[in-house]
Amino acid sequence: MAYKSETRLTVRYAETDMMGIVHHSRYYPWFEQARTDFIKRSGLTYSEMERMGIMLPLTETQCRYLYGLKYEDEVLVTCRIDKLTVARIEFSYEVFRLPDMTKASEGRTKHGFVGRDFKPINLKKTFPDVWEKLSALA
């Protein structure tokens, strides 16, 4: 079974809208934080990958909103790899309100592996050690 990371957050007042619920745009920074934490657990950081010349531009996003979170809610964001190829990686996310684990949203982001010139790379060939670390979590 694929590795799933967990990131805990607290809803800040600035993340809510006029209705008092978390604005839909705030989920994507949460996904980014969860993805950053996930990558870190592979033994790398995003900044190390970028220094190596590996970029992960976003190619597609999706989020489904199920329950309105509110200011000061404690939140758990899970992240896992849904698909990994030599050229692409797809992450999925679930956001839960704590402590009752009410699912608030689920989403997905897709990324391509590119070099500093933003041309696609074959991660397995170009950076086999990184490929192995990510494959172990997929």
Side-chain angles (χ1 to χ4, degrees):
M1 181 165 190
Y3 172 74
K4 188 185 290 191
S5 69
E6 295 185 349
T7 301
R8 292 176 184 267
L9 305 165
T10 301
V11 175
R12 296 173 294 180
Y13 186 79
E15 294 172 317
T16 61
D17 61 17
M18 194 173 197
M19 295 178 285
I21 61 172
V22 173
H23 191 266
H24 64 275
S25 65
R26 303 314 305 156
Y27 286 84
Y28 291 102
W30 294 355
F31 292 172
E32 181 181 345
Q33 181 63 54
R35 186 171 63 251
T36 298
D37 289 348
F38 183 97
I39 295 289
K40 197 179 290 183
R41 285 173 178 84
S42 76
L44 291 170
T45 65
Y46 251 103
S47 56
E48 287 173 320
M49 289 174 65
E50 288 177 350
R51 279 193 296 274
M52 294 169 72
I54 305 167
M55 306 295 165
L56 287 172
L58 189 65
T59 60
E60 189 176 325
T61 65
Q62 177 268 324
C63 187
R64 190 169 148 228
Y65 307 97
L66 306 167
Y67 177 84
L69 295 167
K70 296 184 170 62
Y71 174 55
E72 293 184 335
D73 277 348
E74 297 293 322
V75 177
L76 175 70
V77 184
T78 65
C79 176
R80 72 173 189 268
I81 295 174
D82 267 359
K83 187 174 183 182
L84 177 65
T85 71
V86 297
R88 293 183 178 85
I89 190 167
E90 182 177 325
F91 294 94
S92 64
Y93 313 88
E94 292 179 303
V95 178
F96 300 93
R97 184 185 68 189
L98 296 173
D100 62 2
M101 293 298 285
T102 299
K103 189 188 280 191
S105 72
E106 53 193 23
R108 174 175 325 285
T109 59
K110 296 181 180 183
H111 309 259
F113 293 115
V114 301
R116 285 190 185 99
D117 58 2
F118 283 88
K119 291 184 179 171
I121 61 172
N122 178 321
L123 189 69
K124 188 175 182 178
K125 264 190 194 176
T126 313
F127 298 96
D129 52 331
V130 175
W131 170 260
E132 288 302 320
K133 288 178 181 187
L134 292 176
S135 292
L137 299 174

